Amino acid sequence: MNWKLYEHKVLERFREIYPTSEVRYNTSIKGIKSGRSRQIDTLIINKVGGTEVKTVIDSKCYAKRINITTVESFIGFLSDIGADRGIMVTKIGYSKAAKQRVQKEDLEIELNILTFDELPDYLGFKGVMKFGPIDCLFEVHPKWILNSKNPTLNVLAKIYPNKYDWDSATKNREYIYGTILPHIDENHNVPDDFSFENVTKLISNNLFSKYPKLNVVNITPLIDLDGSPVAVLNAIMDKFSEYVAVASYDEYSIIFGLVTPNKRAEINLEALKFTVSQLQTFFIRLPGFPNFTDMLLRFNDYNLVKKE
């Protein structure tokens, strides 16, 4: 395979992963530090509200493994063009030192390195929440971390700025949590008395119980998802607030809650909008039929949070 065909194969895969994003091939951006035009193999731009996320794909059609020098050059390149994420795709593979350099990068840039053969199974910077027959695929905002350790029924996904770990994020009241609220009984049927109002009432009651000094919970639109509005419940207090986004379907609701200091509420709400805007959900009714995540458990390019 020549380098031109190689680049186009990589381009096609990322267009499949990001069907609603702007994907540019062989484009250029003026460097912030260098001041000169920098060529980019593939540039993916996600826009959610006032947030623009730039992901750069570097296609390396080398006859040898990617080494640490190439990785460090790519890190400098990403910094120069103001990218949020970078992915190197290599034809042959990469050295152990190169992979470790990517994993230990502490700049505010998300990095990944994978081989061309891994592309068909790659899901991007995404996570999966699973609760029984319900699966939810989502993506976190750049500079935020998804922690899938020790999920509970109330918190399946733990998401927080990369300057924290989960304990410090909760201590500073700056994090996003995700969970799935089923509307189904043990036979996978929706009860007759189910309504969206019941879901929001349940969440409101939980917020009032959680915050005794809370006076009111308002419900406002957050974004449209697949043509349907996603509501957010606003619990605003003196120094910090909690915003609970609810994407409701017939059989379940997907919930992402943001706890944030009020002084950072505006910027953190953009992170919440971004995650909610990337939601894809799957519900398998047939007994014995594998779920979406069950079919993908052999892959390791996403964070899986699972609660039966």
Side-chain angles (χ1 to χ4, degrees), residues 72 90 98 117-118 120 138 143-144 154 167 202 245 248 253 255 260 267 271 279:
E72 290 182 335
T90 165
D117 291 339
E118 291 173 320
F138 62 97
K143 305 179 181 61
W144 286 64
N154 293 326
D167 289 339
L202 173 64
S248 192
S253 291
I255 296 171
T260 176
I267 189 170
L279 285 179

Side-chain angles (χ1 to χ4, degrees), residues 88-156:
M88 301 182 77
V89 182
T90 165
K91 186 177 179 180
I92 302 298
Y94 39 80
S95 69
K96 183 178 180 180
K99 186 67 173 180
Q100 287 179 338
R101 182 68 178 87
V102 168
Q103 292 172 337
K104 294 182 182 299
E105 173 55 35
D106 58 2
L107 293 175
E108 291 188 347
I109 300 171
E110 289 192 41
L111 292 176
N112 208 333
I113 182 171
L114 56 148
T115 65
F116 183 79
D117 291 339
E118 291 173 320
L119 269 185
D121 300 338
Y122 184 64
L123 292 175
F125 294 91
K126 298 184 178 181
V128 178
M129 291 192 299
K130 175 180 173 62
F131 196 128
I134 306 160
D135 296 339
C136 170
L137 182 66
F138 62 97
E139 186 166 357
V140 299
H141 192 278
K143 305 179 181 61
W144 286 64
I145 294 171
L146 169 63
N147 184 330
S148 57
K149 294 180 179 178
N150 303 318
T152 67
L153 292 179
N154 293 326
V155 179
L156 288 174

Side-chain angles (χ1 to χ4, degrees), residues 204-268:
S204 293
N205 289 340
N206 286 340
L207 289 170
F208 282 120
S209 298
K210 188 175 181 180
Y211 306 115
K213 294 183 179 180
L214 180 64
N215 294 319
V216 64
V217 174
N218 292 315
I219 302 177
T220 58
L222 182 69
I223 62 167
D224 282 347
L225 183 63
D226 298 328
S228 300
V230 175
V232 62
L233 286 77
N234 308 292
I236 300 174
M237 290 155 282
D238 291 339
K239 295 183 179 180
F240 73 97
S241 298
E242 183 165 345
Y243 300 84
V244 184
V246 184
S248 192
Y249 304 87
D250 289 342
E251 296 89 357
Y252 53 90
S253 291
I254 306 298
I255 296 171
F256 281 97
L258 164 69
V259 177
T260 176
N262 288 338
K263 62 183 179 182
R264 293 187 53 79
E266 184 176 354
I267 189 170
N268 287 341

Side-chain angles (χ1 to χ4, degrees), residues 6-18:
Y6 179 83
E7 285 187 355
H8 277 281
K9 290 288 187 181
V10 173
L11 173 69
E12 289 169 7
R13 176 56 186 146
F14 281 97
R15 280 181 170 159
E16 291 173 354
I17 296 173
Y18 297 99

